[in-house]
Amino acid sequence: MPARTTIDHTLLGALVHAHKALRQRGDRDLGRLGLRVGQDLVLLRLAEGEMSQGCLPSAWGGAGHGQYHVGRLAKAGLVARRSDASDGRVTKIRLTPKGRALEIP
């Protein structure tokens, strides 16, 4: 049984290393555009069309941080928010022309 533990730790270590490397690469590449990792997913999803802010995290299979990312992107002028005409409780998010102009790596 100890051999399995050693293999599991080796695999876990390799996955952690790969995750860190991908995160660093993402931070570097997206940082050139003034973005952070995670914000690219919001922009890519909104490139498909407007959607409610509440649906954004589920659009990429994640949870949380959607409101945080949208707030930062709105402050940067990359996305715009508006109340839904049929339900004022719903906030719709869309790309601005500045957001559409970005080329996400």
Side-chain angles (χ1 to χ4, degrees):
M1 212 55 162
R4 179 183 169 118
T5 302
T6 302
I7 292 171
D8 288 349
H9 283 271
T10 302
L11 178 60
L12 179 61
L15 290 171
V16 168
H17 180 73
H19 176 265
K20 286 181 180 180
L22 287 170
R23 178 72 187 226
Q24 288 172 347
R25 174 72 186 254
D27 283 340
R28 186 183 71 234
D29 291 349
L30 292 171
R32 293 180 186 136
L33 299 172
L35 300 173
R36 293 181 173 199
V37 170
Q39 293 174 333
D40 57 327
L41 298 175
V42 174
L43 295 174
L44 287 170
R45 175 54 187 92
L46 290 174
E48 298 171 13
E50 180 180 73
M51 70 183 309
S52 71
Q53 185 165 328
C55 290
L56 268 174
S58 63
W60 67 77
H65 303 337
Q67 188 171 353
Y68 171 77
H69 288 313
V70 169
R72 291 185 63 99
L73 292 168
K75 188 174 181 180
L78 300 173
V79 302
R81 296 183 250 205
R82 68 170 181 81
S83 293
D84 186 279
S86 61
D87 186 348
R89 298 170 297 172
V90 176
T91 301
K92 295 285 192 169
I93 310 297
R94 64 174 172 76
L95 287 178
T96 62
K98 182 178 176 182
R100 286 209 177 275
L102 285 178
E103 291 186 27
I104 305 299

